[in-house]
Amino acid sequence: MAFNLIDLPYADLDPAISAKTLSFHHGKHHQTYIDKMNAAIDGTDHADAALEAIVVAARGSNQGLFNNAAQTYNHGFYWLSMTNEETAPSAELAAKIEEAFGSMDELKEQLKARGAGHFASGWVWLAEKDGKLSIEETHDGDTLADSGFNPLLVIDVWEHAYYIDHQNKRPAYLDAVVDGKLNWAFASENLARGTAWTYPN
Ligand code: MN
């Protein structure tokens, strides 16, 4: 079966991410990854597989399919990692943030610093493994989907995520997303589930 684009739960994320950026990033970039993956799996053993199984099967053996499958997963997770609503971490997540980072403010500062310092294209994640939270980075189209980490939130740091709104100023994008748009309710759901989010199909 073919995979579909996830509907965005918002029209824009101003001032962090404009509707124009979303029209390209969601409507063109994400759609293209999905279209290429669907074309690659059509008529193959992967045609009816879950996205996460395709990521596992393609990793290290079919880089083209891996890139498109992993990017499909990462972007779906990224759209849900952000919101215009005021959200707060659950008591469980708040306790783990304090344990790992000392405070929410310190976690936010570290997310911004890791995002700004990430060389070239990639993804910055808040993740959980063995009960501990950490910030992880994946390069280019790589993903935590099959890593053993439970991803809680992700931020896209490819230029296409911020160039229209912030030009080359990745830190300005990170400030706006991290301070104003992260979906702590979604992160709390992911932590409570205890296993990695799966792409809806
Ligand atoms: Mn992207």
Side-chain angles (χ1 to χ4, degrees):
M1 77 200 92
F3 291 90
N4 296 305
L5 198 58
I6 289 180
D7 290 337
L8 289 180
Y10 36 73
D12 65 71
L13 291 163
D14 288 325
I17 302 172
S18 65
K20 184 175 181 183
T21 290
L22 291 173
S23 75
F24 284 97
H25 197 183
H26 175 259
K28 306 289 185 194
H29 288 279
H30 194 190
Q31 184 69 63
T32 299
Y33 293 125
I34 293 170
D35 290 345
K36 287 184 173 175
M37 179 185 60
N38 284 337
I41 63 175
D42 186 38
T44 74
D45 290 349
H46 299 313
D48 294 316
L51 181 59
E52 297 72 28
I54 296 171
V55 168
V56 169
R59 183 185 283 283
S61 65
N62 184 341
Q63 191 65 35
L65 178 58
F66 175 80
N67 286 339
N68 287 304
Q71 286 290 69
T72 295
Y73 181 95
N74 289 357
H75 284 89
F77 193 73
Y78 171 60
W79 307 131
L80 300 178
S81 291
M82 299 180 292
T83 181
N84 287 314
E85 319 256 317
E86 287 267 339
T87 59
S90 64
E92 179 190 17
L93 179 55
K96 290 205 178 293
I97 288 170
E98 195 169 319
E99 181 189 347
F101 302 100
S103 68
M104 175 62 95
D105 284 347
E106 180 59 25
L107 165 58
K108 288 180 173 178
E109 288 311 305
Q110 290 190 27
L111 281 169
K112 293 176 190 176
R114 294 286 291 273
H118 185 93
F119 183 73
S121 296
W123 299 85
V124 177
W125 308 76
L126 177 64
E128 176 269 332
K129 191 176 194 180
D130 300 329
K132 298 252 189 247
L133 301 194
S134 59
I135 296 171
E136 302 297 324
E137 298 174 41
T138 58
H139 290 283
D140 300 323
D142 205 355
T143 185
L144 290 190
D146 60 333
S147 62
F149 284 95
N150 180 15
L152 304 186
L153 293 173
V154 76
I155 304 169
D156 189 339
V157 297
W158 289 54
E159 271 189 355
H160 65 219
Y162 58 86
Y163 208 84
I164 291 171
D165 301 321
H166 305 281
Q167 293 74 54
N168 60 318
K169 298 186 287 288
R170 190 192 289 176
Y173 158 73
L174 289 164
D175 284 350
V177 169
V178 171
D179 288 335
K181 301 298 178 185
L182 290 181
N183 189 338
W184 297 104
F186 180 61
S188 301
E189 288 168 24
N190 291 325
L191 179 66
R193 188 188 326 102
T195 56
W197 176 83
T198 55
Y199 194 91
N201 194 24

